[in-house]
Amino acid sequence: MLKNLMTGIFLWALFVQPQVFAQSTITVQANKPGAEISPTMWGVFFEDINFAADGGIYAELVKNRSFKFPDPLMGWKVPFRDSIRVINSRIDEKDHRYLRLPSLKSTQLNYIQNQGFRGMGIHGGESYRLVLGSRVAEGNNLSLLVELLNENGDPISKTQLSGLTTNWDKKEVVFEATATSAKANLRISLQGKGAVDFNYVSLFPVNTFKNRPNGMRADLAELLNGLNPGFLRFPGGCIVEGHHLDLRYQWKKTVGDLDERELIINRWNTEFMHRHTPDYYQSFGLGFFEYFVLSEDLGAEPLPILNCGMACQYNTGELAPLDEMEVYIQDALDLIEFANGDTSSKWGKLRADMGHPEPFNLKYVGIGNEQWGHQYLERYDLIAAAVRAKYPDIQLVTGSGPSADGDRFDYLWKELKGRQADLVDEHYYKDPNWFFNNARRYDSYERGGLKVFAGEYASHVRNENIKEATSSNCWLAALSEAAYMTGLERNADVVHMASYAPLFAHVDAWQWRPDLIWFDNLKAVATPNYYVQQLYSTHSGTNVLPVSADGEIVAGQDSLYASASLDKNTGRIYLKVVNASKEAKELVVNFTGLKPAAKEALLTELAENDLTKFNTLDQPENIIPQKDKAALKGTKLSLMLKPQSFVLVDVAGKK
Ligand code: AHR
């Protein structure tokens, strides 16, 4: 009997007794808007790493389209190597490489076949545009059979191209794919007796982002659009610096005719030998003009970063002599003219000739990436002085070295004060604990001085033994970033820009992880980190609101992190709360001074019990935002925070 009673009590305790949760109260002072939040606060960092540009967002499907790779046939399959000729006509001292495809003695068709970037992503039912730079070298009535082949070599699309002449010209044909393939190839076969020369073979989906010619892969650009980014930083990253100065990023070589853009090796080709990517080059089809157009299409401020006369200090660290800095200074001045100048100016005219007579309204220029030491400052000063003198309204972004602290960092911060500079670019790739423990990082920064651009950051979880490419973008990493970002928002008077890095990675061709967005040739997946960024960037607000618990800012006590903002234009209040503990928590939020315009608050929640969980291309919805509502009682809101969760609370207040 007693035993039965005890069992009954035990079961009651287990199933009937209400669970007791730790309760916390926080106060959001809804009627005390503080520092303004810069419209540029949450942006994106773009670098051509992990096949982000060629093979990624740049929608070109042909790799090595002008045969300019050091191995002219890299990316190309030819059935009879001996029959193909690679010709380099140096008619005007420049390389003009082309391929000669002759017919065979037999009745068999000779062809060239492009393998794309680890295959081509072809969608059944979609249209593709082939552009061929070609001429007839020999013979009459020649035509070309153009086919898309799936991974088994079966045609999934066919078309004919005729009317070839003995003059070089660009022929265009649009055709539809009848089936989908993630690893398709493009085959061009010669019909008739003779030979045809090719200097350019390009294949794009007709459907690009905003239907731009030479445009961006729509699904990847739409993901960027979903972030409503305040700025687009480009082109990197270390890619700005180069292993040595010859291989630095030179924007002038990335504008003008596509054929004229000078290909160079991508530094990430050889940077990590354990992730060697021998077929990684920069075609610059996505060059500075396209970056500006993309910024405009995204409604983001363009933020170009320029080389400052220094190669990557982790590589050669080559320096331009101080008395040979003119070329770097001129690059900066000319870039501003290219972006903003009158169409009668040299570079403004080029912008207009490329199809954009209106200025791009460039406001920011970054000088140098992760440089350090007095060598950086000496070079920086020369460029900054020239830019300030000619364009006093341009905001200058300086580097602070490759890490978030230490001698190099401290030295630059100290030296930069009082110099011609506006924003200091800080980079940190740290473990999740660092992010949780540094939510107060900017609380003690000097006010009213240089602003911070948190230009590259990501929480790095050590998990090399996990095979899935996207695994390092696990929930622990994203949760720690969400916690940390409360500190960025709270300090919006100091931090004016922030961007996660890197942005993109191809699952079959990456060098660096974690990354914000992963993709293959057909699909893309947003990581939990992406959703964290998105909840901040799409609910930014115009002013910081004070948030406290027991009179203290909320930055880790009881494993809670919180920040809030007000959108003065709409009256909406956005509260971001992270519960980093393994336990659920009851949270009472008191919005003091709130004049509610609705009885309910809208909630968006990211939560996951398994901190190692992540999204994949096949399971993209393991961790995604969930919507809910909660009733407001007067100015109070009671929330049940799930373990390890990030919640956005959206409250409508009267304007
Ligand atoms: O984001 C990847 C690399 O990290 C960037 O190129 C560089 O700036 C940093 O070291």
Side-chain angles (χ1 to χ4, degrees), residues 45 47 49 233 236-239 241 268 314 369-370 402 427 429 456 501-502 512:
F45 160 95
E47 175 163 20
I49 181 173
R233 172 187 170 143
C238 291
I239 215 155
E241 305 166 56
W268 301 106
Y314 287 121
N369 177 44
E370 283 184 346
H427 293 182
Y429 297 100
E456 293 185 27
W512 179 297

Side-chain angles (χ1 to χ4, degrees), residues 552-566:
E552 296 273 319
I553 59 164
V554 186
Q557 318 89 298
D558 298 330
S559 303
L560 287 178
Y561 299 79
S563 64
S565 63
L566 165 74

Side-chain angles (χ1 to χ4, degrees), residues 580-594:
S581 84
K582 287 189 166 41
E583 312 297 329
K585 278 187 199 298
E586 204 179 327
L587 181 71
V588 177
V589 187
N590 190 4
F591 292 93
T592 58
L594 171 73

Side-chain angles (χ1 to χ4, degrees), residues 27 54 82 120 136 148-149 151 179 190 257 285 368 443 508 515 550 555 559 607 652:
T27 302
D54 289 312
D82 280 355
M120 295 175 182
V136 172
L148 288 173
L149 309 175
E151 29 284 84
L190 176 61
D257 281 354
D443 293 348
D508 295 335
D515 305 286
D550 299 326
S559 303

